[in-house]
Amino acid sequence: MRAARWRSARKIAADFMNMNSLQDLFSLRGHIGLVTGASSGLGVECAKALAIAGADVVIAARRADRLETLAAAMRREYGVRVLPVAADITAESDREQLISRAVAELGEIDILVNNAGIAPTGRAERISREIWESALALNLTAPMFLSQKVAARLIERGKPGRIINITSVLGQAASAVYRLSPYTASKAGLSNLTRQLAVEWAPYGINVNAISPGWIPTEATEGGMAKPGNREKMESLTPLGRLGLPEEIRGAVIFLASAAGNYVTGSILSVDGGYTAW
Ligand SMILES: NC(=O)c1ccc[n+]([C@@H]2O[C@H](COP(=O)([O-])OP(=O)(O)OC[C@H]3O[C@@H](n4cnc5c(N)ncnc54)[C@H](OP(=O)(O)O)[C@@H]3O)[C@@H](O)[C@H]2O)c1
């Protein structure tokens, strides 16, 4: 096993000798990505990032109309194939259907971005079991079983791949602003699941990493940010002194999905304006 790994490391090194352009390092042409939660916010930007780098992309969420509009815009703008699939990824049957349609209509997925997530608020002493379970189902269970499906197919076919989980700075520490027990617990789970899957699937050439965003205005966060004092508090907790832009996640996605990220696995890449640096 070890000898095989060394040979493959030498081969990878040899390939890198010929990587002399940005195109070689960052191009995703010939790859097929799947982004969940692509009907708004950061998911839209993750999908665009893959398309900018040349990948064909499957975009999934429940709101089909939004996906259709985004798919048409991406085809026009980036000239890649885009397949919108309406799916509630907390349902096993929808996850099945999502993967089988993606494979049948675009081809084998080799980049999975587990982005869909919810952040219900509520006092820990009163939060209902239903809310707790809904956050875990979307933020932790869905990424696990989508990753399992994608990885099992790659392993069976001897193909390498990339999995990128969108976790959160609140997977690392508690929220100073909101009462978010199901969210912080599920994102902490997702962060450590990233490391575990990275270790288990490294022998198959499947790199598993996470991106940990800080405060970024989206549908999920705008309401809370509009409440008196919240935005100022978030800005003051962020060394760069401002909230992020959804587009600022693009570079991290391309890096982790491309050849540039070949030797990166089990990492949690902060895109948080320094929020977790102090
Ligand atoms: N914005 C931030 O400040 C921030 C910071 C740290 C981490 N994050 C993480 O980044 C990710 C994206 O968040 P966002 O801020 O972009 O939120 P958002 O705009 O609310 O987007 C959430 C996405 O998830 C989809 N979704 C929700 N339930 C779903 C389900 N059952 N099945 C399939 N898709 C579902 C939604 O689409 P439909 O409603 O159409 O299904 C939507 O596209 C989340 O994992 C979040 O925790 C965000």
Side-chain angles (χ1 to χ4, degrees):
M1 184 62 159
R2 175 176 280 194
R5 281 196 198 183
W6 273 108
R7 266 200 306 281
S8 93
R10 273 206 296 272
K11 185 182 172 313
I12 289 165
D15 289 348
F16 261 93
M17 298 292 283
N18 298 318
M19 287 199 184
N20 290 317
S21 67
L22 277 176
Q23 191 66 17
D24 293 335
L25 280 170
F26 294 106
S27 172
L28 296 177
R29 217 156 277 287
H31 294 275
I32 298 175
L34 164 59
V35 179
T36 67
S39 62
S40 68
L42 302 186
V44 170
E45 297 306 324
C46 292
K48 286 185 176 175
L50 297 181
I52 287 167
D56 296 321
V57 192
V58 185
I59 51 177
R62 293 165 304 178
R63 286 171 291 179
D65 51 335
R66 292 237 189 161
L67 296 177
E68 293 290 349
T69 307
L70 177 64
M74 284 173 59
R75 288 183 200 115
R76 220 174 26 244
E77 204 162 332
Y78 308 118
V80 297
R81 295 183 302 155
V82 184
L83 175 69
V85 180
D88 176 344
I89 60 160
T90 60
E92 173 63 20
S93 55
D94 280 27
R95 293 194 290 263
E96 279 286 354
Q97 178 250 160
L98 169 59
I99 302 292
S100 53
R101 270 199 65 196
V103 171
E105 294 181 43
L106 278 197
E108 207 61 54
I109 295 155
D110 60 359
I111 304 166
L112 169 65
V113 183
N114 284 309
N115 163 78
I118 45 168
T121 52
R123 305 180 79 90
E125 67 272 25
R126 288 209 289 266
I127 205 131
S128 70
R129 179 82 180 240
E130 197 186 349
I131 288 179
W132 172 265
E133 281 173 359
S134 68
L136 262 72
L138 184 63
N139 298 355
L140 185 55
T141 308
M144 169 62 200
F145 289 100
L146 276 173
S147 299
Q148 184 188 68
K149 282 187 202 310
V150 169
R153 295 186 62 94
L154 292 172
I155 292 167
E156 223 176 275
R157 288 161 183 76
K159 285 190 69 179
R162 301 291 167 94
I163 295 173
I164 302 169
N165 295 323
I166 308 300
T167 182
S168 168
V169 292
L170 302 181
Q172 205 177 317
S175 172
V177 183
Y178 302 117
R179 296 168 193 277
L180 278 172
S181 53
Y183 185 74
T184 51
S186 58
K187 289 296 185 177
L190 184 61
S191 295
N192 214 30
L193 177 67
T194 300
R195 300 184 185 99
Q196 185 65 34
L197 298 183
V199 170
E200 292 195 25
W201 294 340
Y204 306 108
I206 301 170
N207 294 20
V208 186
N209 292 289
I211 296 172
S212 174
W215 300 107
I216 300 176
T218 62
E219 269 178 34
T221 55
E222 267 163 358
M225 284 169 182
K227 290 191 181 139
N230 276 358
R231 188 184 178 110
E232 294 69 26
K233 188 163 186 191
M234 290 167 190
E235 286 171 349
S236 73
L237 288 168
T238 305
L240 286 183
R242 64 173 176 86
L243 306 181
L245 299 170
E247 293 84 343
E248 288 180 302
I249 202 164
R250 292 181 183 179
V253 173
I254 296 173
F255 168 63
L256 291 175
S258 64
N262 265 3
Y263 199 53
V264 181
T265 198
S267 282
I268 315 254
L269 176 54
S270 300
V271 179
D272 66 358
Y275 184 87
T276 46
W278 55 13

